[in-house]
Amino acid sequence: MVPSGPEHPRDPMSAKRAQPVSTRQPDNIWPERLRYFEARQDALVKTIRELVEIESPSDNKPAADRMGGFLAGMFEAIGGRARLHHAQNFGDNLQISFSGRGKLKPVLLLGHFDTVYPLGTLATMPCRVADGRLYGPGVLDMKSGIALMLYVIEALQAWHKGLPRPVTVFLVSDEEVGSSSSRKITESLARESAAVLVLEPAAGMRGAVKTARKGVGEYKLIVRGVAAHAGLDPGKGHSAIVELARQIAALTHLNDLERGISVNAGVIRGGTRTNVIAAEATAEIDVRIKLAKQAAILDRQLRSLKPFDKHCRLTIEGGVNRMPMERNAGVAALYKKAVTVAKQIGWKLEEAAVGGGSDGNFTAGLGVPTLDGLGAVGSGAHAPHEHIVVSELPRRALLLVGLIESI
Ligand SMILES: [Zn+2]
């Protein structure tokens, strides 16, 4: 008779534990996988160039739709099912679904194909390679991120004979202008997904991934004063411009950089002519917050602004659009997985908290584990010298591969 142990002797796990453990280390497949992407680096650059050379400003629907249609074709060519979500004022948002093995929830790869550059920018800012860098409008933010998705899905299909799990790609057309047409779709796809991987550019030249992003709000302060002739009746006017100037000075006191709160009146307008005491003036205000709970407090402070001049009236419009992406447990767990993958090729992957928002803020705000900044490494986003570092592409691809496999 076989003596039974104190713990469930028929537990299959305990039987497994009893097996002799092999001391042989499994071969490290990662260096070989890195070489796979290094061998495809030139092809990847060519694909990125193709995407950059189709201009796609957020505010030009026909141009953005051209980009979306082209991308739909590329993802369909590697086996995805494309679906265009109609948008009235922006390009149609593009969803591509890839089936995969197992009953796992899909991983959502999130990005945008709109850029901040108006049509015709290529004439003065052509796509070119110099000193190992690829330059062009939107190359970093974030057409190279889209190309990475394509190559990574293709590689996973080849290595696993099909995807090891379902993957959904969602590419929006209006991220640079607040994502009003795509936000609801992004959120509903995120809710169905195990995790969200955002292919926005990495933070800094060392390629850190983004584990926290500030929340972003936009407000408009409108001052209505009393107009009067500046020469004949100066005493009868109540200048909206003077009132606005005093309000802007007061607004600077809402800044609390230590707590991650910043308030910036970035655009002001007001008045009609020099000889008229201004009846109206407005300021457009950008606010950034680090924690979700700061949104309501700051909103209350802005809405309770009082006029210095009793004859002026204040109206405040707007609100916080993107809540912060806080570094919660789900985010930290994804970062840990990414670090483990990077370690396989001797790379010490860093993390960063950044002030800019992305659609990752929406998905993290829902509590869906989100990791951002998985795209290309480079600098100059939204600027004439926007570029990526070509030699960083293979290991960015590797990172995405490892995450999709391990989530
Ligand atoms: Zn972006």
Side-chain angles (χ1 to χ4, degrees), residues 16-342:
K16 228 178 228 170
R17 273 198 297 275
Q19 297 287 321
V21 177
S22 164
T23 50
R24 193 176 149 268
Q25 289 290 318
D27 292 327
N28 187 348
I29 51 170
W30 294 94
E32 191 190 318
R33 287 176 153 193
L34 186 63
R35 285 193 291 278
Y36 168 96
F37 285 116
E38 280 165 353
R40 279 155 185 80
Q41 185 174 291
D42 291 346
L44 186 50
V45 167
K46 201 170 152 239
T47 302
I48 298 170
R49 279 191 91 128
E50 272 183 285
L51 303 186
V52 172
E53 281 170 352
I54 301 173
E55 294 185 314
S56 50
S58 323
D59 60 0
N60 188 314
K61 180 169 170 62
D65 278 340
R66 254 194 313 278
M67 181 82 258
F70 183 79
L71 286 168
M74 290 193 96
F75 280 97
E76 277 180 334
I78 58 165
R81 254 180 310 113
R83 176 180 167 198
L84 287 160
H85 295 261
H86 178 72
Q88 192 72 40
N89 302 315
F90 303 99
D92 294 346
N93 296 293
L94 175 60
Q95 176 189 340
I96 310 109
S97 308
F98 288 89
S99 51
R101 269 195 297 283
K103 288 208 174 71
L104 298 164
K105 282 182 170 183
V107 167
L108 178 61
L109 307 185
L110 188 58
H112 63 89
F113 59 81
D114 61 321
T115 75
V116 297
Y117 301 95
L119 227 50
T121 301
L122 278 171
T124 53
M125 197 179 154
C127 193
R128 67 193 168 91
V129 180
D131 301 328
R133 283 147 197 249
L134 177 63
Y135 292 79
V139 66
L140 174 64
D141 187 8
M142 52 154 277
K143 289 186 170 170
S144 44
I146 300 174
L148 280 168
M149 294 179 191
L150 277 163
Y151 279 70
V152 163
I153 291 170
E154 203 176 33
L156 282 167
Q157 287 171 333
W159 298 338
H160 294 270
K161 314 240 176 306
L163 285 178
R165 69 176 306 141
V167 171
T168 308
V169 172
F170 190 48
L171 301 172
V172 318
S173 63
D174 59 353
E175 194 274 346
E176 298 289 5
V177 290
S179 304
S180 60
S181 84
S182 57
R183 177 176 184 164
K184 283 217 161 65
I185 310 164
T186 298
E187 289 177 338
S188 79
L189 291 174
R191 279 197 195 93
E192 298 164 3
S193 303
V196 181
L197 304 176
V198 189
L199 275 285
E200 290 275 2
M205 296 310 276
R206 286 145 71 105
V209 291
K210 297 169 181 174
T211 52
R213 279 182 179 273
K214 280 192 177 176
V216 189
E218 237 178 79
Y219 287 87
K220 193 174 190 180
L221 174 61
I222 304 154
V223 182
R224 291 192 180 84
V226 179
H229 193 297
L232 299 177
D233 286 322
K236 287 192 180 151
H238 293 272
S239 169
I241 290 177
V242 172
E243 176 65 26
L244 184 68
R246 297 175 80 182
Q247 291 294 340
I248 289 170
L251 282 174
T252 61
H253 297 300
L254 297 178
N255 280 302
D256 188 344
L257 301 186
E258 229 156 80
R259 289 198 172 80
I261 299 171
S262 56
V263 177
N264 176 52
V267 179
I268 57 167
R269 280 186 203 92
T272 49
R273 321 178 73 89
T274 54
N275 61 359
V276 178
I277 290 174
E280 193 169 312
T282 60
E284 288 169 32
I285 303 156
D286 174 286
V287 307
R288 306 275 158 158
I289 50 170
K290 192 170 146 192
L291 304 171
K293 62 182 182 199
Q294 293 166 338
I297 301 167
L298 190 59
D299 189 83
R300 217 170 24 249
Q301 286 172 319
L302 287 165
R303 287 183 197 286
S304 58
L305 290 173
K306 297 273 178 300
F308 291 91
D309 179 339
K310 297 277 178 302
H311 295 89
C312 291
R313 274 187 303 125
L314 307 182
T315 311
I316 188 116
E317 295 172 353
V320 172
N321 169 27
R322 289 186 167 106
M323 291 302 264
M325 171 177 152
E326 295 182 25
R327 192 190 189 283
N328 57 28
V331 173
L334 281 182
Y335 171 59
K336 210 172 145 199
K337 284 184 201 293
V339 167
T340 307
V341 175

